[in-house]
Amino acid sequence: MNDPASDLLILPYWSHIISKSEEKNRAKPGIFLAIGPGLLLAATGVGGGDLATGSFVGSLLGTVVLWAVVVGAFLKFVVTEGIARWQLATGQTLLEGVFSNMGSGVLVLFLPYLILWSFFVGSAQMSACGVALHAIFPVFEPEQGKIIFGMLTSVIGVVLVFKGGYRLFEKIMRVCVGIMFFTVLLTAVLLWPGFADVARGLFVPSIPDFGGLGVTWTVALIGGIGGTLTVLCYGYWMREEGRSSPSDLWICRVDLGVGYAMTGIFGVCMVIVGSNIEIEGQGTELLVILSDRLAESLGPIGKWMFLVGAFGAVFSSLLGVWQAVPYLFADCWRLLRSKPDKDNVLRTTPVNTQSLPYQSYLLALAGIPMLGLFWSFQEVQKIYTVTGALFFPFLALALLFLNGRTDWVGPRLRNRLPTALSLLAVLVFFAWVAVKRFLIT
């Protein structure tokens, strides 16, 4: 074993693992109690982009591409499970692991990217909430409604995060998830195209040509499901729930499995909804046109039910970003300013949500991106998805490196061959998507 003074370390895995007797004495929580951060991740990852992309792809290509939603949700599960494994093995967040094992230079590059991404994701979240509320309360012109309602939901989100802390945030998100899931699922059931069509779309991969655009839209569906940079926030929610031992891995896998299953079901439902109607609108009129088309098939009740579910989806996504993304900035800020102790060991420290870096970034995230409300809704969504796609190849590469070392994570939590191959698939796929989107932007 190397002299600990020779390297910058953050608690190697063997000092983090609790004794076997403690492991045996720990009571395993019930399945229901295990489901928490995964639902938060699902709610945060499902937003306006998923609504727009899922319904557009369904309208253009039909249910034959339902399998793409499943593939997308699985790829995001693989990445987030890797983040959880690293943290349970070492006690470090992924950012702490990157800092201690890959150098501060990586965080120096990551921080400007985080700030740029935050601007566009903040604008996209506010725009989506503004569009959804305008569809429910069309008291302004479409562009005015997007701006006014978008600003209003941003302020409400800040107040809820400031006043309620993590526990209130979790309760509100559970309610939003319930509304979102129930209403969109019921809408899809009412528009059910038939078991045979759905089964064929899920289990028989196919990509319609659609004038050469079938592959492009299918790839967009795979890459867009389930969020991008927000997957890093799962580690901070794990800390809030007190999940810190390798024995908690099963809890995280169940939690993430349920969360991404709900994400996948939501995506499938949106494709089914879109496959039943013809969508021609874009921008601020999208949800209005979509709900009007649903009214023709389901009547006024179906229209309003869908709109309520759509708002639940986009507002929960905004609230999740407002609560969780400041964790990333505060963690980066602390790490870049930190110094190892006398043993050259940098200790892990939970992010203090009352700290100046966290609260300042929350206010900046909720305020500065309001400028993006004056831009085209479609353009903001496009730039947001492009910047998000650029991140995933580097995340997959980091997990291959960090979780591939037995001396860092231990033999039990090291990447197995199927996991390594899945991460390689994530790396290749999202690198291709990022390059493709960057070139066409």
Side-chain angles (χ1 to χ4, degrees):
M1 179 177 176
N2 293 333
D3 182 355
S6 64
D7 298 296
L8 181 62
L9 301 173
I10 300 183
L11 297 182
Y13 83 91
W14 49 80
S15 66
H16 177 67
I17 298 177
I18 61 178
S19 66
K20 291 184 178 180
S21 60
E22 288 177 309
E23 293 266 356
K24 292 179 181 178
N25 291 331
R26 290 186 61 170
K28 289 187 176 182
I31 294 298
F32 179 77
L33 294 178
I35 301 170
L39 286 183
L40 303 183
L41 193 63
T44 303
V46 173
D50 298 80
L51 285 168
T53 302
S55 56
F56 267 128
V57 173
S59 178
L60 296 175
L61 306 182
T63 58
V64 295
V65 292
L66 289 177
W67 61 271
V69 177
V70 178
V71 171
F74 173 73
L75 293 179
K76 298 296 175 67
F77 170 85
V78 169
V79 169
T80 315
E81 189 269 350
I83 294 171
R85 253 187 310 120
W86 170 262
Q87 187 160 322
L88 293 176
T90 65
Q92 307 171 21
T93 63
L94 191 71
L95 292 182
E96 289 170 336
V98 167
F99 177 79
S100 60
N101 296 294
M102 301 174 71
S104 61
V106 179
L107 290 192
V108 170
L109 294 175
F110 173 74
L111 193 56
Y113 170 80
L114 174 64
I115 294 171
L116 178 67
W117 177 86
S118 296
F119 177 85
F120 289 111
V121 74
S123 296
Q125 298 294 351
M126 284 186 265
S127 295
C129 287
V131 170
L133 278 180
H134 167 72
I136 298 174
F137 305 107
V139 294
F140 304 103
E141 292 297 318
E143 282 298 318
Q144 290 179 332
K146 181 192 74 171
I147 294 169
I148 294 171
F149 286 130
M151 291 181 175
L152 178 62
T153 51
S154 179
V155 172
I156 292 172
V158 168
V159 172
L160 291 174
V161 174
F162 263 123
K163 296 295 184 181
Y166 175 76
R167 291 304 167 190
L168 177 62
F169 160 71
E170 184 183 31
K171 291 176 183 177
I172 294 173
M173 291 288 274
R174 285 181 181 271
V175 172
C176 289
V177 168
I179 294 173
M180 169 188 79
F181 190 76
F182 174 77
T183 54
V184 174
L185 178 62
L186 184 56
T187 303
V189 170
L190 293 174
L191 295 172
W192 190 252
F195 178 80
D197 288 342
V198 173
R200 190 180 303 111
L202 287 172
F203 302 111
V204 183
S206 175
I207 301 177
D209 180 72
F210 196 73
L213 295 176
V215 172
T216 299
W217 280 110
T218 303
V219 167
L221 189 61
I222 295 173
I225 193 76
T228 52
L229 197 92
T230 51
V231 299
L232 287 178
C233 302
Y234 185 77
Y236 301 93
W237 291 328
M238 284 171 56
R239 278 185 173 174
E240 295 283 1
E241 294 289 340
R243 299 176 186 176
S244 58
S245 166
S247 65
D248 291 327
L249 181 59
W250 77 273
I251 302 175
C252 293
R253 284 174 171 167
V254 170
D255 183 33
L256 288 170
V258 172
Y260 279 111
M262 294 187 70
T263 299
I265 292 172
F266 182 89
V268 166
C269 289
M270 285 309 305
V271 173
I272 290 175
V273 169
S275 69
N276 282 268
I277 54 181
E278 183 177 348
I279 303 175
E280 299 175 351
Q282 294 181 354
T284 54
E285 294 289 349
L286 173 62
L287 279 181
V288 176
I289 294 174
L290 181 56
S291 61
D292 287 342
R293 296 287 188 273
L294 287 172
E296 296 172 4
S297 303
L298 302 177
I301 294 178
K303 169 184 175 179
W304 291 105
M305 180 178 64
F306 173 78
L307 286 177
V308 170
F311 177 71
V314 295
F315 181 69
S316 63
S317 186
L318 177 143
L319 188 59
V321 169
W322 269 214
Q323 197 275 341
V325 172
Y327 279 128
L328 303 178
F329 176 81
D331 213 9
C332 283
W333 183 264
R334 176 185 65 85
L335 289 168
L336 291 174
R337 291 168 55 87
S338 63
K339 295 181 180 179
D341 62 16
K342 62 181 181 180
D343 295 321
N344 212 32
V345 175
L346 186 65
R347 302 294 176 181
T348 59
T349 304
V351 172
N352 180 9
T353 57
Q354 303 301 313
S355 66
L356 182 61
Y358 179 94
Q359 296 192 348
S360 298
Y361 202 75
L362 169 59
L363 291 174
L365 177 63
I368 297 174
M370 285 182 181
L371 296 172
L373 289 170
F374 297 91
W375 299 354
S376 162
F377 172 70
Q378 183 185 10
E379 191 65 25
V380 170
Q381 289 285 347
K382 180 181 179 181
I383 298 174
Y384 158 53
T385 56
V386 170
T387 54
L390 291 171
F391 169 71
F392 248 77
F394 297 101
L395 178 56
L397 191 61
L399 289 171
L400 281 167
F401 175 65
L402 295 175
N403 286 346
R405 293 283 299 269
T406 302
D407 54 333
W408 289 350
V409 298
R412 177 184 169 192
L413 299 185
R414 186 176 182 270
N415 285 337
R416 298 290 188 264
L417 180 60
T419 303
L421 292 175
S422 298
L423 285 171
L424 280 173
V426 172
L427 172 62
V428 172
F429 174 77
F430 282 97
W432 177 65
V433 170
V435 171
K436 185 178 179 66
R437 289 184 176 179
F438 180 77
L439 290 176
I440 65 175
T441 303

